[in-house]
Amino acid sequence: MKVLEATGITKLFPGVVALDSVDISFEPGQIHAIIGENGAGKSTLIKCLTGVYVPEEGSVEINGQDALKNKELFDKIAYVPQEIDLFGYMSVAENLFIPYEKSGFKGMVNQKALEEAARPLLAKFQIPVEPDELVKDISVSSQQLLQIARATVHEDYEVLMLDEPTTSLTTKDTQILFDIVRQIKSQNKAVVFISHKLEEIFALSDVITVFRNGKKVAYSEIGQVDIPWVIRQMTGREVDQNQVFCSEKVTDEVLMEVNDLTGERFTDVSFQLKRGEILGFSGLVGAGRSELMQAILGYLPVYKGTVRIDGENWKLGDPTFSVKHGYIYLPEERKKQGILPVLSIRENISVAVLDRLASATGISRKKEDELAQNVIDTYDVKTPDAEKEIQFLSGGNQQKVIIGRAMTCEPKVLVFDEPTKGIDVGTKAEIYRLMKELAEQKGIGIILISSEMDEIRKCSNRIIALYDGRKVGEFPATADKEEILSAIIGVG
Amino acid sequence: MNNEKSRSSNPIINALRKSNMTAIGAVLVVMILIASVTSPYFLDIYNLQSVIRDLAFVGMIGVAQSLLLLIGELDLSVGKIASLCGILSGMMMVYYHWNPWLALLVSLICGLIFGAINGLIITRLRLNSMVATIGMQGVYGGINLVLTKGKAITGIPEEIYFLGKGNVGPIPAPFIFCIAVLIIVLFIVKKTKTGRYIYAIGNSREAARILGINVDKIRVLIYSLVGLISALAGILYVARLGSSQSAIGENWPMNSIASSVIGGVALTGGIGNPAGALIGAAIISIIQNMIVLLGVNVYWQSAVSGFVVVIAISFGSISEILRERKARKVKVG
Ligand SMILES: Nc1ncnc2c1ncn2[C@@H]1O[C@H](COP(=O)(O)OP(=O)(O)OP(=O)(O)O)[C@@H](O)[C@H]1O
Ligand SMILES: [Mg+2]
């Protein structure tokens, strides 16, 4: 028996066949994993199955009835989109129950009643916040859980669709989520789970569907297959999960020296970065790693301490200076701080190096086109052309454009802040390979901030652990995992 | 994955698809057709000249305002800056007998400074542009009243009248200034680094800062430019009336925003073309002219023109709604 059955779904975007006659169905009491490279069409499929997009072809049946004709059937589906879309300036309780009518709050809304109703839900999801706190003030991980709690408030849903719910969850919150998902499954509801983290998929799901380039390429029960099979189906090639990517051309020359740097979220941090080195920064969410690197950029204030890069005393507090002199920061919040969403790929790249593109009448369009095409070719960006608005690229391809842009600035120090968040396994390996290549061939210093222990150990030559804004340890690449772990949770 | 078929190889078709300027241009052409069919006086040369003279002012301010909308901000003090600069020029010419050209130049510089003050207050104190310029328009309007006690300054030297009242060939002089403003603004937006940075800031202020763009410097620059253009419009209007009056520019803040929005410039920043604001201004001016030509009752004029402007602003979203309806019909049958 199937609760949702879609047949022949085709969805087109300008220049792209996002979905190519896809058949898929979900059964009650089953956790159905969907996996595929960035841009394979996973989110687009979910949006077609929840009524957000109307597919060009195909049908969607919910409990045997045509949902494209009768939109109300989509109410049977609870949907948690890939991006957080909560109301930042409203309270946790308000976010949970909006729209109020549907939650059984008729007429006037009583703040106290809302907050009381919120408590059991917060307890169920173990979200450590008060119902009256503003959503913008709670942690990203809590926001993510809250978003899932909100989707499941109305008990009458029959399918729960989670689009990459764990990308911004801490390890602990991931476990909480998994327990809840299993509970939901035991209530005989269907769950659809999208993730790029293979371990999670194998830990949680019952069946798996693999997508490649808008087509469904494989389906199996999870017990019948293993990780290498999934990667093969996804990418069409083998990816060695154990390959290491640390730089093999670390010099003795100190490229960057940070002394006793103190700012709002970090205290007395000192470290050195060598030319040709990849230096990993490990720590929990909130340990102050991003803040430290953003302060060196000049984006956040520094209270005390000095920075020297390539023999130059660094001017602090001025991002224009830092970027011009070769300190480039690639932000973790790609959507908010990295891309310029409605501009084209070309404009996103050229904006960083306009001086070089000058011509007699302003900006040379020819040079600009060449530069953009060069980045697209070098970094293998999947796009019909350079004029596509960058917001319509998949996450991995956006990241490649941003790396390409950073490289055109000829950096000396390049900071990658969680560079593989939401990125598929194949592309992850490509990004690691790129980092290694940049460190070895261009002689730059790379700083890698990552919360994934495997990633940081695979790529770094040295690892620095931060806990609560302080440096609590420095480890060689070969260090024991447990040793680093205990440092970053503050028991070193 | 890339479907080569759905991608047109014709660059012109691609360009048309990408910009909604053609749609707005088409609306303007339709408006002109309707106007000339419904009223025989519309195409009369004197009427046309008066419409174009009106639209020159709204157009100039609209083009300036669109720069601010592109970075996601706006300036509600444009009208008061215009009238204050008009008053200052009048005082210099009439009370202090300055050389008129020097007086005009100094007034323009005053406009630039007023704009820069707006920009500095907004960036340094991290204020919301709308709230801050509501406050500043009170300040500029207040200074205006202190200086004039509400009385107009008459006796403006006749040698500057042609700037406002005159024609170059058949074309009203203010419109020449308006086109000059548009060309300069378009050059900045399309050809210079600053222009690219304006779009970058409008897309994401945070990303722009991380990219090393000096965001606040550019914001102050734009406010200053807007102040300068407002002053220009103000003194041209003084030349048109032959007197300096505090009432100059009363409707300019709202009309300039409306023209930009009709012209496809998004209030949220990052999207649009300043040339659209001029077309938007033309549409508004024709609407207002029609209302007069068709003899709408004087008391109704404001309500009718407001209503038609709301409809004009909705063109963009209405076509979107219709497109969705059609897509659903095709699908559901
Ligand atoms: N609104 C849109 N307009 C144009 N193209 C789009 C749009 N949304 C998605 N696409 C394109 O459709 C394809 C599928 O995108 P989709 O977001 O479904 O991928 P995904 O599998 O969810 O990737 P990710 O793992 O990065 O989230 C991509 O090539 C993308 O560029
Ligand atoms: Mg997706």
Side-chain angles (χ1 to χ4, degrees), chain B residues 2-332:
Chain B
N2 303 338
N3 181 352
E4 292 297 330
K5 254 180 287 169
S6 65
R7 201 179 120 207
S8 169
S9 55
N10 184 338
I12 296 172
I13 291 187
N14 278 336
L16 288 184
R17 193 188 289 154
K18 192 160 182 193
S19 76
N20 47 10
M21 289 287 286
T22 27
I24 306 155
V27 171
L28 177 61
V29 171
V30 171
M31 296 266 327
I32 292 174
L33 288 179
I34 295 176
S36 31
V37 171
T38 47
S39 166
Y41 299 109
F42 179 74
L43 286 179
D44 183 274
I45 182 77
Y46 294 105
N47 184 58
L48 276 183
Q49 280 179 338
S50 114
V51 171
I52 290 173
R53 207 178 299 275
D54 281 339
L55 93 83
F57 293 94
V58 183
M60 230 180 285
I61 304 279
V63 168
Q65 192 73 264
S66 70
L67 281 175
L68 281 170
L69 295 188
L70 280 179
I71 59 167
E73 300 185 37
L74 45 78
D75 187 342
L76 295 177
S77 69
V78 283
K80 294 296 180 201
I81 292 183
S83 61
L84 179 55
C85 291
I87 294 288
L88 290 173
S89 72
M91 291 174 65
M92 288 182 253
M93 290 184 284
V94 178
Y95 298 168
Y96 301 104
H97 307 293
W98 286 24
N99 174 315
W101 302 108
L102 179 65
L104 295 188
L105 182 68
V106 172
S107 313
L108 286 179
I109 294 172
C110 289
L112 186 81
I113 294 172
F114 296 148
I117 293 174
N118 283 350
L120 287 171
I121 290 177
I122 288 164
T123 53
R124 289 295 139 87
L125 302 180
R126 299 186 194 166
L127 299 181
N128 171 286
S129 64
M130 185 163 81
V131 181
T133 54
I134 287 179
M136 290 312 288
Q137 68 133 15
V139 174
Y140 300 130
I143 298 177
N144 199 326
L145 285 180
V146 170
L147 292 176
T148 61
K149 315 253 172 354
K151 285 205 267 304
I153 301 175
T154 50
I156 301 289
E158 290 189 10
E159 54 183 303
I160 70 156
Y161 280 13
F162 81 92
L163 294 177
K165 299 186 208 252
N167 297 317
V168 179
I171 302 167
F175 190 65
I176 308 265
F177 285 99
C178 175
I179 294 296
V181 165
L182 178 66
I183 289 172
I184 293 169
V185 166
L186 280 182
F187 178 79
I188 294 175
V189 163
K190 297 287 171 199
K191 292 285 180 185
T192 68
K193 264 173 37 169
T194 308
R196 293 300 182 88
Y197 291 164
I198 289 172
Y199 282 95
I201 294 169
N203 265 265
S204 164
R205 205 173 282 178
E206 287 180 56
R209 279 191 67 203
I210 286 180
L211 273 167
I213 296 172
N214 195 334
V215 173
D216 284 352
K217 189 171 113 192
I218 288 178
R219 291 168 71 202
V220 174
L221 196 80
I222 298 176
Y223 278 102
S224 313
L225 187 60
V226 171
L228 177 69
I229 297 172
S230 307
L232 176 67
I235 59 181
L236 294 178
Y237 216 91
V238 168
R240 180 182 185 179
L241 297 176
S243 68
S244 298
Q245 303 186 3
S246 342
I248 289 175
E250 209 97 279
N251 295 324
W252 290 356
M254 287 311 153
N255 281 344
S256 63
I257 294 170
S259 330
S260 300
V261 174
I262 294 173
V265 182
L267 284 169
T268 44
I271 302 173
N273 182 333
L278 184 56
I279 302 182
I283 291 175
I284 291 185
S285 306
I286 292 176
I287 291 170
Q288 284 169 347
N289 182 243
M290 289 290 294
I291 287 168
V292 176
L293 288 183
L294 295 180
V296 174
N297 178 318
V298 135
Y299 298 107
W300 275 98
Q301 281 182 6
S302 166
V304 172
S305 108
F307 180 67
V308 182
V309 167
V310 170
I311 292 182
I313 293 175
S314 335
F315 283 140
S317 44
I318 288 177
S319 60
E320 181 74 2
I321 293 170
L322 290 180
R323 202 185 50 72
E324 276 172 24
R325 281 259 176 85
K326 208 172 126 204
R328 185 175 316 158
K329 275 231 187 76
V330 169
K331 177 66 227 162
V332 181

Side-chain angles (χ1 to χ4, degrees), chain A residues 51-344:
Chain A
V52 178
Y53 289 157
V54 179
E56 270 76 31
E57 279 168 37
S59 72
V60 180
E61 289 190 355
I62 295 174
N63 291 330
Q65 284 169 286
D66 187 343
L68 293 173
K69 281 219 178 80
N70 183 1
K71 296 257 171 194
E72 275 171 25
L73 289 168
F74 286 120
D75 288 348
K76 293 274 175 228
I77 297 173
Y79 165 48
V80 182
Q82 193 168 352
E83 264 79 47
I84 289 181
D85 66 346
L86 297 166
F87 303 100
Y89 283 87
M90 292 172 87
S91 75
V92 166
E94 286 167 325
N95 266 282
L96 269 175
F97 297 115
I98 249 172
Y100 303 123
E101 296 76 23
K102 248 183 115 185
S103 318
F105 293 91
K106 299 260 155 54
M108 304 240 278
V109 179
N110 178 337
Q111 204 65 29
K112 279 275 154 323
L114 273 187
E115 286 171 15
E116 283 320 307
R119 277 183 205 285
L121 282 163
L122 294 178
K124 177 176 165 200
F125 281 81
Q126 301 179 40
I127 309 175
V129 300
E130 289 298 314
D132 61 349
E133 273 181 87
L134 290 188
V135 160
K136 73 176 179 63
D137 296 330
I138 71 178
S139 78
V140 178
S141 200
S142 298
Q143 288 180 5
Q144 183 68 55
L145 281 181
L146 185 65
Q147 180 147 299
I148 297 163
R150 179 179 70 173
T152 54
V153 159
H154 316 295
E155 290 285 341
D156 59 351
Y157 67 94
E158 290 180 30
V159 187
L160 171 63
M161 302 208 178
L162 302 167
D163 194 351
E164 297 194 33
T166 59
T167 343
S168 21
L169 286 189
T170 59
T171 328
K172 187 167 144 267
D173 285 350
T174 304
Q175 281 317 316
I176 297 174
L177 173 67
F178 282 11
D179 289 343
I180 293 168
V181 169
R182 290 195 185 100
Q183 217 174 307
I184 290 171
K185 168 187 165 178
S186 70
Q187 294 161 4
N188 212 29
K189 303 190 192 236
V191 179
V192 179
F193 177 69
I194 299 181
S195 173
H196 287 296
K197 300 183 185 168
L198 295 161
E199 300 75 20
E200 290 179 352
I201 285 187
F202 277 85
L204 190 65
S205 47
D206 302 309
V207 296
I208 179 169
T209 296
V210 186
F211 278 83
R212 195 197 306 167
N213 288 351
K215 293 196 181 74
K216 176 174 161 182
V217 291
Y219 168 85
S220 172
E221 285 183 19
I222 203 81
Q224 314 283 317
V225 296
D226 56 6
I227 288 186
W229 178 88
V230 174
I231 296 180
R232 239 183 354 259
Q233 299 301 325
M234 263 175 78
T235 63
R237 62 196 160 89
E238 305 282 339
V239 175
D240 178 4
Q241 287 285 83
N242 297 318
Q243 199 179 347
V244 290
F245 294 90
C246 56
S247 163
E248 283 160 29
K249 294 202 179 137
V250 184
T251 64
D252 286 334
E253 186 190 341
V254 175
L255 179 63
M256 168 158 131
E257 199 178 343
V258 172
N259 288 314
D260 293 324
L261 213 62
T262 301
E264 192 166 314
R265 302 276 291 278
F266 53 91
T267 317
D268 288 329
V269 179
S270 303
F271 66 90
Q272 291 186 337
L273 171 69
K274 306 248 166 62
R275 197 182 282 282
E277 182 183 39
I278 301 178
L279 177 60
F281 273 78
S282 191
L284 298 179
V285 176
R289 297 164 299 168
S290 304
E291 287 82 359
L292 173 64
M293 300 310 161
Q294 290 179 1
I296 298 174
L297 176 70
Y299 186 77
L300 293 177
V302 168
Y303 301 154
K304 173 169 114 13
T306 58
V307 177
R308 278 175 77 80
I309 298 178
D310 209 11
E312 196 172 356
N313 278 324
W314 214 242
K315 182 174 162 198
L316 294 166
D318 183 359
T320 312
F321 171 89
S322 298
V323 171
K324 207 166 171 183
H325 290 75
Y327 178 94
I328 309 272
Y329 170 77
L330 304 182
E332 168 182 10
E333 299 284 336
R334 197 164 43 228
K335 290 246 146 61
K336 244 173 67 198
Q337 302 187 320
I339 61 169
L340 304 169
V342 301
L343 295 185
S344 65

